[in-house]
Amino acid sequence: MSSIPRFFPWQDGLAKAWLGQRERFAHAWLIHGMAGIGKRQFALAAAASLLCEAPENGLACGHCAACLWVASGNHPDLRRIRPDAVAQEEGGDQPDESVAESAASKKAASKDIRVEQLRGLSNWFNTATHRGGWRVAVLYPAEALNAISANALLKVLEEPPEHTVFLLVVDAPDRILPTLVSRCRRLPLPVPSLAESTGWLAGQGLGDATQWLAAAGGAPLRALSMWEAGERACPAWLEQFVLAAAQGGAPDIGALADSLEKDPPASWIDALQRLFLDLSLAASSAPVRYFPALSDPVGRIAKAASPASLAEAGKWLTQQRAVADHPLNTKLFVYSVLSHAAQACRPQRQG
């Protein structure tokens, strides 16, 4: 039998304080914070705690009837609302509203939370809770709500069902409808401290986690995922780009574009965005944040390049990230982005 979801060590204190208010709990919560800090796990552990019949310090006991149902994936008062693609990745072991037998499920798994998933909850809402307590709906990631499903959820939250708590998980509240945000209480989750993250990562087998945590912006789950995937804390292609630019020359854009052509655009553009934040920090004589191993060459680039060009390139990369998922010509897109980045790193003319 599977175990119930538990809070990560850096979440326990906040969870106990928050769940201690359950007698006057809001009907909808927006759980938000940096990607990779454990928001989804927090929401699922919170659901288990809300359903627990013998909570210990506000947290799920792990052995009551309700906890055993959660652990087996069969609690009738718990629903996960998530894209079909996410349900497939997770194994689909928890009752949700994926509507597996629908015609849509015969196609490629949807990356959206579909309106049918929300409409399918109506009977659940209108049925008394099986254990006489809460009914909990965990929805993630809330960014996956499309316009139709977001409005369907909004209608539910405007007249919330009795004894029902919605837990919505999102990286940033500004990525979903403002009207949805206004219907929820916000619960921001902080980034764990360096000591908390390194201690936990050591327990997962990642002993020297400093470089990985830096590359992940301090997010321990993201650092662990990068390490487990066999990635480097600093991608080899990015190191080549930086070293060439630091020597005052032009990186081999063609070769780099060839190496990145088949990679997800979001991945390598994200790496470039982190690099340009480091460059802006170095230009202001501040320590770099993401790639400390490249502090020296990044510092040389920042000292020689135009601070305005570096700042402009950082903003431009954000715009490219927004359209990166559907480039008309992938190789040309990679070449264009790398060329723009290299141009911004060139030494500014003196005089």
Side-chain angles (χ1 to χ4, degrees):
M1 179 183 292
S2 301
S3 59
I4 63 170
R6 294 290 188 182
F7 295 102
F8 288 110
W10 56 87
Q11 299 172 340
D12 272 352
L14 174 62
K16 289 174 182 177
W18 174 58
L19 290 166
Q21 310 170 34
R22 69 176 68 196
E23 294 303 320
R24 51 185 185 278
F25 224 54
H27 71 275
W29 290 88
L30 192 64
I31 299 169
H32 60 94
M34 179 189 290
I37 61 172
K39 298 187 300 298
R40 181 182 306 184
Q41 182 80 0
F42 184 97
L44 295 173
S49 298
L50 288 169
L51 294 168
C52 177
E53 296 168 359
E56 300 172 355
N57 295 318
L59 309 187
C61 69
H63 48 72
C64 70
C67 284
L68 295 178
W69 278 3
V70 171
S72 65
N74 292 312
H75 199 301
D77 295 328
L78 174 61
R79 290 289 186 275
R80 293 194 210 182
I81 307 163
R82 51 193 171 163
D84 294 340
V86 173
Q88 285 187 3
E89 291 174 3
E90 295 180 337
D93 59 341
Q94 178 67 40
D96 59 17
E97 297 304 321
S98 295
V99 195
E101 65 274 16
S102 70
S105 67
K106 298 177 183 178
K107 303 176 183 178
S110 175
K111 295 182 179 180
D112 286 351
I113 293 174
R114 295 173 289 103
V115 68
E116 292 86 358
Q117 294 174 260
L118 294 163
R119 290 172 178 166
L121 294 170
S122 57
N123 290 336
W124 186 58
F125 292 146
N126 295 324
T127 304
T129 60
H130 284 65
R131 305 295 293 184
W134 292 105
R135 178 191 293 117
V136 185
V138 184
L139 185 150
Y140 60 88
E143 297 98 325
L145 289 162
N146 56 40
I148 299 174
S149 57
N151 280 301
L153 177 60
L154 181 60
K155 290 180 180 179
V156 175
L157 296 184
E158 286 174 343
E159 297 183 15
E162 292 186 351
H163 310 298
T164 302
V165 173
F166 285 85
L167 302 177
L168 281 63
V169 179
V170 68
D171 289 346
D174 61 4
R175 295 184 181 179
I176 61 176
L177 282 178
T179 44
L180 273 181
V181 177
S182 70
R183 296 291 175 180
C184 302
R185 289 279 297 278
R186 292 169 62 157
L187 182 65
L189 299 190
V191 177
S193 69
L194 179 61
E196 289 171 324
S197 294
T198 53
W200 179 78
L201 286 168
Q204 309 304 308
L206 179 51
D208 184 9
T210 306
Q211 297 287 338
W212 298 96
L213 275 170
L221 270 69
R222 184 176 184 182
L224 181 64
S225 176
M226 293 168 62
W227 177 66
E228 290 180 337
E231 298 179 22
R232 294 177 49 178
C234 176
W237 67 267
L238 190 69
E239 184 176 355
Q240 294 173 23
F241 179 95
V242 170
L243 292 177
Q247 294 171 0
D252 188 345
I253 302 299
L256 292 177
D258 288 340
S259 69
L260 294 176
E261 183 179 358
K262 295 183 180 180
D263 290 354
S267 174
W268 56 264
I269 290 182
D270 179 67
L272 280 173
Q273 287 180 291
R274 286 180 283 151
L275 169 63
F276 271 82
L277 179 56
D278 275 358
L279 287 166
S280 293
L281 289 170
S284 302
S285 300
V288 300
R289 176 180 179 183
Y290 292 106
F291 302 113
L294 297 179
S295 294
D296 182 61
V298 164
R300 295 203 304 273
I301 295 171
K303 183 177 181 180
S306 161
S309 295
L310 295 176
E312 182 278 330
K315 294 178 181 178
W316 184 83
L317 285 169
T318 300
Q319 297 170 354
Q320 302 314 300
R321 175 64 184 85
V323 299
D325 291 334
H326 304 288
L328 296 176
N329 184 314
T330 302
K331 187 171 183 178
L332 183 60
F333 179 70
V334 179
Y335 191 93
S336 172
V337 172
L338 291 175
S339 296
H340 193 108
Q343 179 66 35
C345 292
R346 288 183 178 177
Q348 57 183 327
R349 295 181 179 179
Q350 303 296 324

